[in-house]
Amino acid sequence: MFKKFWLDTIFGLLFILAIGGIVSQVFAFKVFDVFDPIGDAFADMESTDIVFSQLREDPVAEEDIIMVNVGTLNRQGIADLINIINAAEPRVIGVDLFFYNQKKDTLGDLALQYAFSQVENLVLVSKLLEPNEENSFDSLATSHPMFNQYAETAFANFITGAADQEDIKVCRTFAPKEMVNGEIEYSLAVKLVQYMDSVKAQKFLDRNKDVEVINYRGNIFDYGATEAPITYFALDWYQIFDGQFAPELIKDKCVLFCFMGAELGDRIALEDKYFTPLNAKYAGKAHADMFGGVVHANAMSMILAEDYINEMDDYLEYLLAIVILYLNIIVFVFIYKVMPKWYDGLTKLIQLIEAFALFTLGLVVFNVYNYQIDNTWMILGVLIAGDALEVYFGVFKNLFTKEGRKELTQINKL
């Protein structure tokens, strides 16, 4: 009897894993997507979004990064902005804008070229193009050489999973560096931090991770357009022209020029705007909440504060999921054999309590220790174990007994 008990737990585990594998393959082909409007609403959500948007206390303001909104200024206007800011002696100026071609406005181009030539430490963005099978890229798009000659470049690409501009762009992670034609190209955040604190930048790179989760801190003051904490000081283009800032605010800081709407608080502009975990509506998101420049700033803050997010390895998550599933199977098989009348009620109660506990534990660990555990498979295993075991005992196991097959082929009178 004792041996039979353990054989049932082992075969039950193998049966559930086999069923899980088949179901995961069916869903991999998105067969049921058309029937799943609720799933679509939660498709871009992760449980850790709740920590970012609801549980964490507002962080202190970031003092080393100043955001500048260029609005819809032409190149002459941007040149004037850079000249004013550069006179205040920032440590480094980053420009999250592309100037691919020369304009008919020659004077504007020459003004921008001259402004760039006067900046001691200048970083212009690049764009990674043509990914290849070697996990690197074949080409890099940059601004026109007349502008690019005075700057280092760093890529602005984010990892969003969006196939095109019409898709929802959810940004949780970024790549610290990529290989382009055999040479290293750093992300904008890493490159700017190298100027601010090369030791911290190298410490971050020494983690040697292909992808890093961004430990979001907050947003800019945007006049109520979002509900995220206000962490980054932002100057609008007209404020700089009007002299509405103190030069000592800029000295030795990183100043990042980027587009953040026609003016700060613009709720219509969608260009270079992303959904982030700070979005107040973490399920069924309606409005993008953060401009790309501010996403770069959040990645920079994480590196400067050495406040990284660590993740559990996939293989360990799968192993834990199988261990938890097997422990549940042991308990459920015991209940099935010893207290069969209590099976449905007890297993459902245990499943609900355990799934809630695992979900809550994941949030607590992430919130307290900045350690992310993808417990999706653990929770799924808990939730299907009870019913799957009933199928194992009631259908699968009976197929291998003479009595079970006989009952299946005979129709008794009512």
Side-chain angles (χ1 to χ4, degrees), residues 70-220:
V70 302
T72 56
L73 292 176
N74 59 19
R75 291 181 180 181
Q76 176 68 63
I78 295 172
D80 293 339
L81 286 181
I82 290 175
N83 287 330
I84 295 171
I85 292 297
N86 192 46
E89 301 179 352
R91 179 80 59 84
V92 59
I93 288 179
V95 182
D96 187 18
L97 303 163
F98 283 98
F99 308 97
Y100 291 119
N101 304 306
Q102 292 176 300
K103 298 284 189 180
K104 292 182 179 179
D105 178 16
T106 304
L107 292 178
D109 281 353
L110 291 174
L112 186 60
Q113 181 188 34
Y114 177 77
F116 285 163
S117 71
Q118 299 304 298
V119 179
E120 181 177 357
N121 297 320
L122 176 66
V123 179
L124 297 183
V125 288
S126 61
K127 184 177 182 180
L128 302 168
L129 299 174
E130 301 179 32
N132 56 42
E133 297 179 355
E134 299 175 357
N135 294 322
S136 61
F137 293 82
D138 290 333
S139 63
L140 193 69
T142 63
S143 294
H144 192 277
M146 75 176 293
F147 308 116
N148 223 42
Q149 62 181 313
Y150 302 105
E152 288 196 273
T153 61
F155 67 84
N157 304 59
F158 291 122
I159 301 171
T160 63
D164 55 52
Q165 303 231 351
E166 300 299 322
D167 291 339
I168 292 177
K169 296 185 290 186
V170 182
C171 186
R172 294 186 178 88
T173 60
F174 77 109
K177 62 181 180 180
E178 294 286 2
M179 296 298 296
V180 182
N181 289 325
E183 296 184 0
I184 295 176
E185 182 80 357
Y186 293 105
S187 70
L188 181 60
V190 170
K191 177 61 71 175
L192 292 174
V193 173
Q194 286 176 335
Y195 283 100
M196 297 297 294
D197 193 324
S198 59
V199 174
K200 290 181 178 179
Q202 189 57 49
K203 184 176 180 180
F204 176 70
L205 291 170
D206 287 343
R207 288 163 58 84
N208 201 30
K209 296 184 67 175
D210 293 334
V211 175
E212 288 275 4
V213 179
I214 301 173
N215 195 355
Y216 280 94
R217 294 167 59 86
N219 211 335
I220 57 171

Side-chain angles (χ1 to χ4, degrees), residues 28-48:
F29 290 102
K30 301 183 178 181
V31 175
F32 301 110
D33 279 9
V34 67
F35 307 110
D36 191 19
I38 297 177
D40 289 343
F42 286 87
D44 298 305
M45 174 194 170
E46 289 187 4
S47 60
T48 51

